[in-house]
Amino acid sequence: MSSAPAPQRRRITILGSTGSIGCNTLDVMAHLGGSTAFEVPAITGMSNIELLAQQARTVGAGFAATADERRYNDLKSALSGSGIEIGAGPSALIEAAERDTDLLMAGIVGIAGLAPTLAAVAKGADIALANKECLVSAGDLFGAAMAIGGGRLLPVDSEHNAIFQVLDQHQRHAVERIILTASGGPVRNHTREQMARVTPESAANHPNWSMGLKISIDSASMFNKALEMIEARHLFNMRPEQIEVIVHPQSVVHSMVGYSDGSVLAQLGTPDMRTAIGYAISHPRRASLPVERLDLAKLARLDFIAPDETRFPALALARIAMQRGGLQGAALNGAKEAALDAFISGRIGFLEMADVVAMVMDRLDDGRGAGSIEDVYAADSEAREIAATLMRKSA
Ligand code: NAD
Ligand code: MG
């Protein structure tokens, strides 16, 4: 008697498995059947070797890589006897991304995620994209690479995932605008004078989503929303004027699409990244997930407030970057990273972050486009250097 062939497991590689997105992805996969449903060709992390090794053993990863070259031996001893192949450094990240897979979760934070994600794109894998910096800094390049690679691009950022859920692909001509919601963060009601005195600790105290320090501060300054406007432009092929932002303190409406008949379609849910991750990795099916259900009666109300761009200049900077195009997204992101580091270490104030970014963008506004990934990394470094020089001068 011959037994039926085992059903094929879906292959999912996770870049940045030790981060918030990575851990949530593994959690979603565990709920959707774990190793009976999924195979994990590769996972990557950086400094948390213990967690990386533990994850690799739990899911039986084929390959585990740390971005930090110096941690090769640590990872080797942590995985000794497991049979899991290991690697370290930037080339190991590329190797992880290039291993055969059905879908790659791009969960690395920052521009460091660009090269490995593009390597997976070139291999034709479907890409679940959390790493927004890929599109902010290299949107045109990324879009062209996706078209050649032939994989699907599945947004994970909650706002973009929401839009993806309600964007009718058969009615693209009828899409007038997309409306990104922003919580407004902990300084939403501050005056400019109060904002000038905000500390990294108070800025990071996000009311709805639990996230890392940097992304929480980016939410408070609305630089996160600025990045998301540029991300949305590239993901959904929108003109800058079609992208709106509305402050919505409850973070229940995750974003909306406005159509030519006046309809506005929204996706709602409790703030839990696992919904977006589950949707992206299960698409076109819907997963069954243990996230808290929305209790609308308990919620009672949803508020919407127009954003104040004099207090949140990051939004205007995103629009300028979109209008100028080329490498302005890379300039905005690189300068923002440098300014954010300076704010965290107490060298500049909360409001000065936007001033630095604006000056760097003007300095790099020379019409240059991104011909290659090297151009993007060069613009990113240049933006950081100019920002550092400006901040030294003003100190
Ligand atoms: P995180 O800091 O929690 O994790 C980042 C991951 O990337 C870790 O695995 C870390 O080891 C790895 N990493 C860090 N620096 C690296 C480097 N230089 N080279 C290679 N690997 C490196 O970040 P996160 O919150 O999981 O966010 C990941 C991405 O998803 C970001 O682009 C973020 O904007 C986006 N995102 C996150 C959330 C969220 O809820 N956390 C929501 C929407 C979008
Ligand atoms: Mg988001």
Side-chain angles (χ1 to χ4, degrees), residues 2-130:
S2 66
S3 58
Q8 247 194 347
R9 294 185 299 165
R10 187 121 187 280
R11 296 169 302 176
I12 299 188
T13 280
I14 306 169
L15 302 182
S17 64
T18 54
S20 164
I21 291 288
C23 290
N24 274 315
T25 303
L26 287 168
D27 184 70
V28 167
M29 288 164 69
H31 283 292
L32 299 182
S35 56
T36 53
F38 300 103
E39 193 183 318
V40 180
I43 58 173
T44 79
M46 195 155 83
S47 43
N48 194 343
I49 300 296
E50 201 182 322
L51 178 60
L52 181 64
Q54 183 212 315
Q55 290 176 333
R57 285 181 192 269
T58 305
V59 299
F63 183 65
T66 164
D68 187 347
E69 234 143 18
R70 297 161 304 178
R71 305 299 301 276
Y72 179 86
N73 285 331
D74 296 338
L75 185 58
K76 192 174 171 192
S77 58
L79 283 174
S80 72
S82 67
I84 296 166
E85 291 175 70
I86 62 155
S91 61
L93 293 194
I94 303 284
E95 186 181 342
E98 286 183 337
R99 295 240 163 163
D100 279 346
T101 191
D102 298 311
L103 179 135
L104 175 127
M105 171 60 70
I108 290 177
V109 63
I111 192 81
L114 180 60
T117 305
L118 278 175
V121 169
K123 286 280 175 185
D126 287 345
I127 307 292
L129 189 73

Side-chain angles (χ1 to χ4, degrees), residues 169-246:
Q169 292 295 350
H170 303 294
Q171 298 287 323
R172 285 302 301 249
H173 59 281
V175 173
E176 273 183 355
R177 56 183 175 146
I178 62 179
I179 308 163
L180 295 169
T181 51
S183 72
V187 305
R188 170 168 63 88
N189 295 321
H190 281 31
T191 61
R192 262 187 81 86
E193 292 67 37
Q194 288 170 316
M195 286 170 96
R197 293 193 299 271
V198 160
T199 62
E201 293 69 34
S202 60
N205 185 18
H206 198 282
N208 306 329
W209 298 90
S210 78
M211 304 179 293
L213 177 72
K214 286 190 173 187
I215 189 168
S216 298
I217 297 173
D218 279 350
S219 295
S221 64
M222 291 228 195
F223 263 112
N224 185 48
K225 210 51 55 183
L227 301 184
E228 291 181 354
M229 291 166 75
I230 304 173
E231 181 184 13
R233 168 170 167 72
H234 291 293
L235 271 174
F236 307 114
N237 199 16
M238 291 283 150
R239 296 188 305 277
E241 63 275 16
Q242 289 178 295
I243 300 169
E244 298 175 13
V245 172
I246 189 93

Side-chain angles (χ1 to χ4, degrees), residues 269-301:
T270 49
D272 186 329
M273 282 309 293
R274 292 178 303 172
T275 298
I277 291 169
Y279 191 83
I281 70 176
S282 309
H283 187 77
R285 295 189 3 216
R286 274 190 191 271
S288 175
L289 292 171
V291 300
E292 194 189 330
R293 286 353 187 208
L294 201 56
D295 183 340
L296 287 167
K298 192 169 153 203
L299 199 64
R301 57 185 278 181

Side-chain angles (χ1 to χ4, degrees), residues 155-170:
V156 172
D157 209 348
S158 59
E159 296 78 0
H160 306 75
N161 186 267
I163 294 161
F164 184 60
Q165 292 195 35
V166 296
L167 187 73
D168 186 344
Q169 292 295 350
H170 303 294

